[in-house]
């Protein structure tokens, strides 16, 4: 089963990272068990996210190839650093195996048009507050969900965005995901919903970005998907209501999340360096939460929720 390995490298520079990729990139592509490498700058250094078929494969690669080529001053920290790190996706780099993963797009992830989106989003999962998939002694994506499995939907609203020459401003996307165990073990089932207002070109662009096939942060999670239920073009409502977020797809989704109270009621409760996709999210919980489609049905009222604003670019 696939595992996700996240490492922060304090003091690493763009030049140092590029030199490491120059030395090791081709060998990494051929490494047994390698599925995905995603690297980008964060405050004070560099973050690397890799997906491997097993923890043993990842550990052997690091011991044999990475550690001997790192200067003594650089010491990677594996899922232990809790300091805030601001993601800069403009510096992101994605590597895939030389033999492409079926359905993952192979090296085409680095050959598509340039794109960028400025978004807000929220999610509501079936875990208690706070979700152990984000915060646990094992690190992100490693702990077993509170219910043994995770049912989660993520709703996105694009304030601004372009995929090549295609304008994406104002469109909405929803992803519904069932995960049978710890997130890092994979075998995810994913259904996508694309804004019915979008043209054919816009829907294709949204599909490329939110499947991870166009690169960007979601590309690092794509190998964890075992079952793709496809995409539907449907009317999607999205609302920002201050400390609440809401989304609706008639007959499929009714969702409202609200910020949880903090010690200071005037300030939002914030999680930093916890979510694999966003450097900072606001802690919330489900107020209205009904999803029904593809034979899946769940209600996450009172369960963990997050919301955030972010900017992604790719490939």
């Amino acid at each position: 089963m696939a595992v996700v390995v996240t490492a922060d490298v304090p003091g690493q520079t763009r030049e140092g990272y590029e030199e490491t990729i120059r030395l090791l990139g081709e060998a990494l592509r051929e490494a047994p068990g390698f599925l995905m490498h995603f690297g980008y700058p964060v405050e004070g250094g560099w973050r690397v996210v890799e997906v491997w078929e097993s923890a043993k494969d990842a550990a052997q690669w690091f011991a044999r190839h990475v550690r001997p080529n790192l200067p003594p001053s650089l010491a990677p920290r594996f899922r232990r650093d809790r300091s805030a790190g601001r993601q800069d996706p403009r510096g992101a780099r994605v590597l895939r195996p030389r033999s492409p993963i079926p359905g993952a797009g192979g090296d085409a992830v680095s050959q598509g048009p340039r794109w960028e989106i400025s978004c807000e989003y929220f999610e509501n999962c079936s875990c208690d507050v706070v979700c152990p998939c984000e915060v646990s002694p094992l690190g992100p994506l490693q702990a077993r969900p509170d219910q043994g499995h995770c049912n989660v939907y993520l709703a996105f609203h694009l304030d601004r965005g372009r995929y090549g020459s295609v304008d994406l401003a104002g469109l909405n996307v929803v992803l519904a995901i069932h995960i049978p165990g710890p997130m890092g073990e994979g075998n995810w089932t994913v259904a996508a919903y694309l804004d019915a207002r979008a043209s054919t070109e816009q829907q294709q662009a949204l599909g490329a970005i939110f499947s991870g096939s166009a690169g960007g942060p979601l590309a690092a999670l794509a190998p964890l998907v075992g079952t793709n239920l496809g995409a539907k073009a449907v009317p999607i409502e999205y609302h920002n209501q201050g400390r609440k977020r809401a989304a609706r797809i008639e007959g499929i989704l009714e969702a409202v999340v609200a910020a949880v109270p903090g010690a200071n009621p005037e300030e939002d409760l914030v999680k930093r360096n916890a979510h694999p996709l966003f450097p900072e999210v606001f802690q919330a919980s489900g107020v209205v939460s009904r999803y029904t489609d593809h034979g899946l049905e769940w209600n996450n009222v009172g369960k963990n929720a997050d919301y955030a604003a972010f900017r992604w670019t790719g490939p």
Side-chain angles (χ1 to χ4, degrees):
M1 288 181 287
V3 296
V4 178
V5 179
T6 302
D8 284 350
V9 189
Q12 179 65 289
T13 63
R14 183 183 303 276
E15 291 75 17
Y17 171 77
E18 293 293 343
E19 178 64 13
T20 302
I21 292 298
R22 186 187 69 79
L23 291 172
L24 301 178
E26 290 305 308
L28 178 61
R29 290 178 183 272
E30 304 291 344
F34 170 67
L35 296 176
M36 174 77 70
H37 169 102
F38 188 66
Y40 54 87
V42 294
E43 185 176 349
W46 211 267
R47 177 167 297 159
V48 172
V49 180
E50 292 183 345
V51 183
W52 292 81
E53 291 183 356
S54 72
K56 181 180 178 181
D57 290 331
Q60 289 179 342
W61 166 261
F62 182 82
R64 295 174 182 174
H65 297 277
V66 179
R67 190 180 295 280
N69 285 283
L70 281 177
S73 60
L74 298 181
R77 298 200 294 253
F78 291 93
R79 301 191 308 273
R80 293 193 181 94
D81 185 19
R82 289 291 183 259
S83 62
R86 289 292 180 179
Q87 181 175 326
D88 181 3
R90 289 172 295 177
R93 178 167 209 172
V94 176
L95 294 181
R96 292 181 184 268
R98 183 59 63 193
S99 298
I101 307 163
D107 290 330
V109 71
S110 61
Q111 298 174 357
R114 294 290 300 172
W115 59 267
E116 63 175 284
I117 55 175
S118 295
C119 290
E120 60 175 87
Y121 106 108
F122 73 89
E123 66 178 89
N124 184 198
C125 74
S126 53
C127 287
D128 299 330
V129 180
V130 171
C131 177
C133 306
E134 297 175 350
V135 181
S136 89
L138 299 177
L141 308 186
Q142 304 304 309
R144 183 165 294 279
D146 287 320
Q147 315 305 322
H149 61 270
C150 182
N151 292 326
V152 60
Y153 54 78
L154 301 89
F156 299 86
H157 173 73
L158 283 68
D159 294 312
R160 296 181 302 280
R162 299 195 72 82
Y163 183 84
S165 61
V166 179
D167 185 11
L168 303 176
L171 298 176
N172 301 317
V173 174
V174 170
L175 302 177
I177 306 172
H178 169 75
I179 302 159
M183 299 184 79
E185 293 184 359
N187 200 25
W188 298 10
T189 297
V190 179
Y193 303 89
L194 308 179
D195 200 320
R197 298 173 300 161
S199 67
T200 299
E201 283 188 332
Q202 289 172 321
Q203 290 181 7
Q204 290 173 344
L206 293 173
I209 292 170
F210 286 94
S211 70
S213 64
L218 287 173
L221 302 181
L224 299 176
V225 177
T227 302
N228 186 341
L229 297 176
K232 294 182 179 181
V234 293
I236 303 173
E237 300 176 24
Y238 185 100
H239 303 284
N240 180 330
Q241 301 167 336
R243 300 179 73 182
K244 290 184 177 181
R245 302 291 186 272
R248 181 175 185 272
I249 302 173
E250 185 174 359
I252 296 174
L253 177 68
E254 296 281 349
V256 179
V257 305
V260 302
N264 181 347
E266 301 302 318
E267 295 183 9
D268 291 329
L269 192 61
V270 179
K271 291 183 293 192
R272 294 188 176 92
N273 197 30
H275 200 290
L277 295 175
F278 312 107
E280 178 178 286
V281 295
F282 295 97
Q283 182 65 64
S285 65
V287 177
V288 176
S289 182
R290 293 185 295 273
Y291 171 80
T292 304
D293 200 15
H294 296 291
L296 303 173
E297 184 173 352
W298 62 75
N299 186 325
N300 294 339
V301 170
K303 299 299 185 178
N304 186 81
D306 298 320
Y307 62 86
F310 64 93
R311 177 177 175 269
W312 286 345
T313 69

